[in-house]
Amino acid sequence: MSASALTEPKTQDADEKRLNDLGYQQELKRGMGGFSNFAVSFTIISIITGVLQTFWLGMIAGGPRIMIIDWVVASVFIMMVGLSLAEICSAYPTAGGLYYWSARLARKRAPVWAWYTGWFNMLGQVAVTASIDFGLANFIGFFIKLAIDPSFAARPWQILMIYGIVLALHGLMNTFGVRLVAIFNDVSVWWHLIGTGIIVVVLFALPDKHQAISSVFTSYVNDTGLTWFHGSGLWISIVGLGVCAYTITGFDASAHLSEETRNAHEAGPRGIVTSIGVSAVAGFVLLFALCYALPGSVTSTAYGNIAATGSSASANLFLDVLSRHVAEFLVVIGIVAQFFCGLASVTANSRMIYAFSRDGAVPGHKFWHRINSRTKTPTNSIWFAVVFSFILGVPSLKTNASGVPVAFNAVVSVAVVAFTVSFALPTLLRLMRGDDFVVGSWNLGKWSKLVNVLALGWTVVICAAFLFPQGTLHVDGKFQWSLFNYAPIAVGIVLGYATLSWFLSARHWFTGPKWSVDGAPLDVETEVPPLRAKHDDPIGVQA
């Protein structure tokens, strides 16, 4: 394998030429370095956000033992997914990311592959933004009760109002330009790492009592009400994978920001892989500390009461085992981390919407594709992301008897499933391409096939974990719709929309990624031609 050498002074011109060779003009401001690109994905992953918001799921679906084991197992397979995507990103560093890759990799019917990949990825982007900021709104509500007004009990409409304010702030901050967002993301990396360290040290040092170390690795609990495979805990283990699967996702942001990153064919892949690796290690330490600090045994009343508080379970754990002021301090760390996470999520979300609109796939695409002439950012797409994320939060007004917004909780499942499917489609096409795929300078070499297969296997497992029931649907022998997992319905609606709109309309006009430089749109029904000759591919790399 040989790679073209790029000297730093020529990086900008080389990046623009590479983008031109892929079919696009340089419209966005290319102001990010490699660290900033990594920072966006690491911030969206946000171990503090993911672990703190889903800790309750791990508490009821297996307890400490399953949480710890599942985190290690899931981290390995998520890395396989990330490695698969990073290799493709190096060859095609464009803002379109996954759906552009599917179009390029498909031997036949490229527009169809691009259409479905794009819609699943856009659904995942919007849903994960909604879930992050809604979880943040709940944490803010908890902090108000904890530190400001002990009598405050946030009603659903109040949480929705806080949620809307947070989304609006993220929209406004993204509107000011890519450099401002890059600064916040750089700060966010250190906030997450230092904040995680503080939480871990506090949970190890200050509580009066801890679980035995052996108990963290052996304690098992099933409070889901499910009995499938209960003897071996197999199904409960699969459900418990959700803690890691929800936390370590959204790392494709490094690809969506390729057109704003210098030396993107190297920085993008490194951003994907490094963000997963750092998150996996730091997240394990944070999760271990939370399990180590749990009060009493896994069957105690205190344990059950904490788990029953849902996304605020980790905050309630702080309050149970620490002084009030220390608990407030840790909750503030979590709130700021989640704020950074939501900010970065809106950034990546808007770039995907911009790119998909650029190729005509989103209704009103000419409006969403517009670039702000002053900031060189897709301002309209930013507010598309904000408004539609808020709409996804409206079902939170409907709660079950325990006050849990079950319909909205499905948004978490939808985000993971939609992302996972959109990751799997280009990975499958890359596997089918085999040696015909012209690799970039960052590639997996002989390990590519094995890594792709493992990544696709993970897709099947994690979709099962989030689409099947995660808890009992019956109370006193009666079926309860309030306990139903609405994720399959939500995913089915989007799949149905994508399918109907394709056959009724899009197949007549959607040609896949459109060239804006030198050439025609990628309009292929039989076979996609290779990217130039191998000696003249846009990355300057020979396989």
Side-chain angles (χ1 to χ4, degrees):
M1 179 185 72
S2 64
S4 58
L6 294 177
T7 59
E8 187 60 30
K10 296 181 180 179
T11 295
Q12 183 78 5
D13 290 340
D15 283 325
E16 291 187 15
K17 182 182 183 303
R18 185 173 290 109
L19 185 61
N20 292 163
D21 288 339
L22 292 173
Y24 296 115
Q25 293 178 342
Q26 184 70 50
E27 296 180 306
L28 300 171
K29 181 179 180 181
R30 197 176 286 272
M32 285 190 174
F35 183 82
S36 294
N37 181 281
F38 150 77
V40 175
S41 283
F42 182 72
T43 299
I44 292 176
I45 290 173
S46 182
I47 52 174
I48 293 179
T49 299
V51 172
L52 296 190
Q53 288 188 7
T54 59
F55 186 61
W56 68 274
L57 176 61
M59 291 183 71
I60 67 172
R65 184 182 80 193
I66 298 302
M67 275 193 276
I68 296 299
I69 294 173
D70 276 2
W71 186 274
V72 174
V73 172
S75 294
V76 170
F77 281 96
I78 292 171
M79 180 59 79
M80 298 300 104
V81 175
L83 289 169
S84 298
L85 298 184
E87 181 179 54
I88 305 172
C89 180
S90 182
Y92 310 133
T94 71
L98 302 159
Y99 87 90
Y100 179 95
W101 304 345
S102 289
R104 277 300 194 182
L105 292 167
R107 293 181 182 275
K108 296 181 178 180
R109 305 187 186 282
V112 181
W113 287 98
W115 179 260
Y116 279 98
T117 303
W119 276 104
F120 269 104
N121 189 238
M122 193 163 75
L123 171 64
Q125 295 278 356
V126 175
V128 81
T129 300
S131 62
I132 291 165
D133 279 359
F134 189 80
L136 171 56
N138 276 286
F139 259 70
I140 292 173
F142 181 88
F143 181 77
I144 293 172
K145 179 181 178 66
L146 179 63
I148 300 174
D149 182 4
S151 65
F152 179 75
R155 297 179 180 178
W157 69 268
Q158 292 171 312
I159 294 296
L160 185 65
M161 182 179 68
I162 297 172
Y163 171 61
I165 293 172
V166 169
L167 280 170
L169 286 174
H170 286 157
L172 289 170
M173 294 173 73
N174 269 280
T175 299
F176 285 107
V178 66
R179 184 56 193 158
L180 177 63
V181 174
I183 292 172
F184 276 109
N185 287 326
D186 290 352
V187 172
S188 173
V189 171
W190 301 110
W191 184 273
H192 276 82
L193 292 176
I194 296 172
T196 297
I198 291 172
I199 294 173
V200 169
V201 170
V202 168
L203 291 179
F204 268 80
L206 296 188
D208 294 331
K209 295 182 179 179
H210 291 90
Q211 297 283 325
I213 295 292
S214 59
S215 178
V216 175
F217 291 100
T218 59
S219 296
Y220 174 82
V221 62
N222 175 17
D223 282 342
T224 65
L226 296 173
T227 57
W228 305 336
F229 304 110
H230 183 253
S232 63
L234 176 60
W235 182 249
I236 303 305
S237 297
I238 292 176
V239 172
L241 289 169
V243 176
C244 188
Y246 173 68
T247 300
I248 308 182
T249 193
F251 42 80
D252 60 317
S254 290
H256 293 304
L257 291 167
S258 291
E259 294 179 32
E260 298 166 77
T261 303
R262 298 184 296 274
N263 202 28
H265 68 295
E266 291 280 355
R270 283 200 302 267
I272 292 172
V273 174
T274 306
S275 63
I276 295 173
V278 174
S279 297
V281 174
F284 176 86
V285 175
L286 176 59
L287 190 62
F288 183 91
L290 289 168
C291 291
Y292 184 54
L294 284 168
S297 68
V298 297
T299 57
S300 68
T301 301
Y303 182 96
N305 289 341
I306 292 173
T309 57
S311 61
S312 299
S314 54
N316 277 283
L317 169 61
F318 298 155
L319 188 59
D320 271 22
V321 301
L322 302 167
S323 68
R324 183 170 66 87
H325 291 306
V326 174
E328 290 170 0
F329 177 60
L330 297 190
V331 170
V332 168
I333 291 176
I335 286 174
V336 176
Q338 291 173 64
F339 187 86
F340 282 141
C341 179
L343 176 67
S345 184
V346 170
T347 304
N349 194 346
S350 63
R351 272 46 174 188
M352 194 279 159
I353 295 167
Y354 155 80
F356 211 30
S357 299
R358 177 173 59 185
D359 295 323
V362 181
H365 60 90
K366 291 183 179 179
F367 181 76
W368 306 120
H369 172 231
R370 290 178 187 171
I371 298 294
N372 185 304
S373 60
R374 181 177 63 86
T375 63
K376 296 297 182 182
T377 57
T379 302
N380 294 349
S381 289
I382 289 169
W383 290 99
F384 179 110
V386 168
V387 171
F388 276 81
S389 293
F390 181 79
I391 291 173
L392 282 182
V394 173
S396 67
L397 293 172
K398 178 67 175 177
T399 62
N400 64 13
S402 300
V404 178
V406 177
F408 180 79
N409 282 351
V411 174
V412 173
S413 297
V414 169
V416 176
V417 171
F419 263 134
T420 303
V421 172
S422 70
F423 295 164
L425 294 177
T427 301
L428 174 63
L429 293 168
R430 161 66 183 100
L431 182 63
M432 294 168 64
R433 271 282 181 177
D435 294 336
D436 191 34
F437 173 65
V438 181
V439 298
S441 57
W442 196 105
N443 63 80
L444 300 173
K446 65 181 181 180
W447 298 103
S448 180
K449 183 176 181 179
L450 175 61
V451 171
N452 292 165
V453 169
L454 292 174
L456 293 172
W458 168 254
T459 301
V460 176
V461 173
I462 207 60
C463 285
F466 280 94
L467 291 177
F468 284 91
Q470 296 174 324
T472 182
L473 302 179
H474 295 81
V475 176
D476 297 328
K478 296 181 179 180
F479 183 85
Q480 301 290 321
W481 280 105
S482 63
L483 300 175
F484 187 73
N485 180 6
Y486 289 87
I489 295 177
V491 172
I493 289 173
V494 173
L495 179 61
Y497 169 78
T499 301
L500 284 175
S501 60
W502 172 259
F503 283 102
L504 295 178
S505 174
R507 66 189 179 94
H508 299 297
W509 52 265
F510 182 70
T511 59
K514 294 180 179 179
W515 296 93
S516 58
V517 175
D518 182 30
L522 185 63
D523 185 3
V524 181
E525 288 296 334
T526 55
E527 182 176 355
V528 177
L531 286 171
R532 313 287 199 273
K534 281 193 176 183
H535 67 276
D536 190 30
D537 76 277
I539 308 303
V541 178
Q542 295 181 15

